[in-house]
Amino acid sequence: MFNLQCSMKQLFAFDFDGTLTTRDTLIAFIRYACGTPRFLLGFLLHAPLLVLMKLRLYSNGKAKQRLFSWFFRGMPIETFDALCQSFASTHRHLLRPETVRLLQQALSEGSEVLVVSASIDNWVQPFFPAVTVLGTQIEVIDGRLSGRFLTPNCYGQEKVRRILALHPDRSAYRLTAYGDSRGDRELLAFADEAHLVS
């Protein structure tokens, strides 16, 4: 009997932080790019804001943008991108082997693979140059980082919205999704097959 499910386009969506990696790369990247003293000062100054965010009294996206802006506003995009490339090449140890293997297997079988992440796509993409990254995008004005995000923080429902923007006909594909946190709930609920990575 003809298997309709097998004839459909196979789409795989992987969260990045905590799913393809063992921990949050925002913190690791800031420390790498700015050095430990500046990293500690920045997080100390933003500690009250981060507490409010954890208590869900302040937007996750706004808190992240303010933190990002403090560290990187005014940096030339060429410098930032070079740091992102270097970070990916020197921090392969952050990758989670079992989920990376699943991603590579999906690619080898001819499926389309997306990495859908709240992290900035500039440092996510170098880890997986062969896949499409739907991350949080940053604004660049006159060759320098403005400190603002160009897109909403790719978290929660925004992950679903970004996939639908790329693949609007939901009946045309079967979606398998991998995530590990509260920010992936909507993505996992949207998928035909969902895997919670622990």
Side-chain angles (χ1 to χ4, degrees):
M1 188 175 176
F2 180 71
N3 190 333
L4 181 63
Q5 205 173 70
C6 288
S7 71
M8 293 179 73
K9 178 185 179 72
Q10 300 296 307
L11 186 64
F12 285 75
F14 291 83
D15 167 56
F16 184 63
D17 293 295
T19 300
L20 288 168
T21 69
T22 54
R23 56 194 172 100
D24 191 310
T25 56
L26 172 66
I27 293 170
F29 178 75
I30 291 173
R31 191 167 198 164
Y32 173 78
C34 301
T36 299
R38 183 165 167 78
F39 164 82
L40 292 173
L41 175 62
F43 273 83
L44 182 64
L45 291 173
H46 289 86
L49 191 64
L50 296 173
V51 169
L52 290 173
M53 183 191 77
K54 288 293 184 185
L55 294 172
R56 302 186 196 181
L57 299 174
Y58 193 81
S59 160
N60 179 297
K62 287 180 181 178
K64 182 174 162 184
Q65 182 174 255
R66 283 181 62 176
L67 192 68
F68 180 84
S69 180
W70 192 87
F71 284 107
F72 298 109
R73 184 179 58 217
M75 179 179 283
I77 183 60
E78 293 85 357
T79 303
F80 184 74
D81 281 341
L83 284 167
C84 292
Q85 291 283 346
S86 178
F87 175 74
S89 66
T90 57
H91 286 70
R92 308 297 293 179
H93 61 277
L94 295 179
L95 293 174
R96 189 184 291 273
E98 57 271 27
T99 42
V100 171
R101 181 182 56 78
L102 291 169
L103 181 151
Q104 291 170 338
Q105 181 181 326
L107 280 176
S108 69
E109 292 171 353
S111 301
E112 182 176 352
V113 176
L114 307 173
V115 174
V116 191
S117 173
S119 276
I120 309 301
D121 54 5
N122 299 58
W123 74 70
V124 178
Q125 188 72 70
F127 279 95
F128 299 102
V131 307
T132 299
V133 171
L134 304 177
T136 301
Q137 297 177 359
I138 53 175
E139 183 182 65
V140 178
I141 298 176
D142 296 329
R144 293 181 179 272
L145 277 60
S146 71
R148 295 185 294 269
F149 294 159
L150 199 59
T151 60
N153 189 36
C154 194
Y155 178 93
Q157 189 60 33
E158 180 64 14
K159 294 194 174 194
V160 175
R161 194 194 70 76
R162 295 285 294 277
I163 291 174
L164 285 172
L166 195 62
H167 295 287
D169 184 0
R170 186 61 184 87
S171 65
Y173 55 91
R174 184 173 189 276
L175 176 64
T176 303
Y178 293 82
D180 76 300
S181 70
R182 181 166 57 90
D184 302 314
R185 284 179 189 167
E186 291 84 351
L187 171 63
L188 295 175
F190 181 66
D192 298 291
E193 181 181 332
H195 298 271
L196 185 64
V197 177
S198 58

